[in-house]
Amino acid sequence: MRVLLVEDDHVLGEALRDHVAAAGHAVDWFKTLGEAMAATETVSYGLILLDLRLADGEGLSLLRALRKANNAVPVIILTAHDQVSDRIEGLNAGADDYLVKPFNLGELTARMLAVSRRYEGRSTPIVRLPGIEIDQAAKSITVNDRSLTLSAREWAVLEKLVERPGALISKAQLQETLYEFGAEIESNTVEVYISRLRKKIGSDRVETVRGLGYTIR
């Protein structure tokens, strides 16, 4: 998914960006409240990782603005402030989860998956389709009881398609999943990864709706 990281600590921000990107997500990292607010106005994010204390304001200002605009994007607060009152304020403002620094990166990954599942209305990281089982937590997939290996970008495309099996996903939505701000977008990237997925999971499982996008059966 496309993740917005709002963190003004350079060392921690780099570590978080690299960790989330290694899991196959496109990451936009901004260090100021103003940049983050502008980004949310132009990109539809799958998840936001939000620091509270920023040089130009409070992260909660962004969270409250999103919720006031009825934007339900999942938000996980990342902060060094561990007071119960801080956590209550963040959750009441509309946060979906709250992690106190320092935290384990593996725990962050698990919490991201859990929040995403709740947002998608699923109670388990397992997605089952006829002949296919996808474990998003373990990053494993079996097709007709045969284990497959997918690249990070193949995973990103597959996970976007199975968010809502049967729903139409546009090329632009898949590009948003694959690319962060500033990345050079190659015109045929989506087609390349769709083709690779078809070769691995079956050519008839991913359908092209000409001029509109793709859907997984």
Side-chain angles (χ1 to χ4, degrees):
M1 57 188 161
R2 185 79 170 265
V3 176
L4 173 60
L5 170 62
V6 189
E7 172 58 63
D8 62 357
D9 182 282
H10 187 76
V11 174
L12 177 59
E14 271 195 347
L16 290 171
R17 180 198 60 196
D18 293 347
H19 178 76
V20 175
H25 307 297
V27 186
D28 295 328
W29 173 27
F30 295 108
K31 303 177 184 68
T32 68
L33 186 62
E35 290 174 322
M37 283 185 165
T40 61
E41 293 172 1
T42 57
V43 176
S44 177
Y45 287 102
L47 186 115
I48 297 177
L49 301 175
L50 180 63
D51 187 17
L52 290 185
R53 306 292 188 260
L54 301 166
D56 59 338
E58 290 287 327
L60 285 183
S61 299
L62 172 60
L63 177 57
R64 291 190 176 108
L66 290 170
R67 297 309 186 231
K68 185 176 181 180
N70 293 320
N71 187 331
V73 57
V75 175
I76 299 177
I77 289 176
L78 311 177
T79 182
H81 295 265
D82 60 354
Q83 297 296 314
V84 173
S85 58
D86 290 323
R87 277 179 271 179
I88 290 172
E89 184 180 18
L91 293 169
N92 284 342
D96 297 271
D97 205 347
Y98 196 108
L99 261 177
V100 176
K101 303 172 184 176
F103 49 80
N104 181 276
L105 291 176
E107 181 181 1
L108 172 64
T109 300
R111 287 176 181 265
M112 289 173 62
L113 285 172
V115 166
S116 295
R117 288 199 303 272
R118 291 198 298 270
Y119 180 73
E120 295 163 13
R122 294 187 289 112
S123 59
T124 171
I126 307 296
V127 177
R128 292 184 176 89
L129 303 172
I132 299 179
E133 181 171 293
I134 303 162
D135 187 333
Q136 292 177 298
K139 283 288 189 289
S140 67
I141 176 173
T142 59
V143 177
N144 297 326
D145 297 322
R146 181 170 60 92
S147 295
L148 300 179
T149 300
L150 302 183
S151 70
R153 283 196 162 181
E154 289 166 355
W155 264 112
V157 171
L158 178 64
E159 288 187 324
K160 187 64 178 178
L161 290 172
V162 301
E163 276 184 7
R164 292 177 296 138
L168 185 65
I169 306 298
S170 70
K171 180 178 178 179
Q173 287 175 300
L174 291 173
Q175 284 177 330
E176 279 198 351
T177 298
L178 293 170
Y179 290 102
E180 63 275 359
F181 274 123
E184 184 177 347
I185 300 177
E186 298 179 17
S187 61
N188 68 334
T189 297
V190 169
E191 288 82 358
V192 167
Y193 286 106
I194 289 291
S195 176
R196 291 180 182 178
L197 270 182
R198 283 178 170 145
K199 288 178 181 177
K200 291 184 176 182
I201 70 173
S203 59
D204 61 334
R205 296 186 187 275
V206 181
E207 180 181 351
T208 300
V209 181
R210 190 170 299 277
L212 295 176
Y214 306 89
T215 183
I216 192 162
R217 294 180 180 275

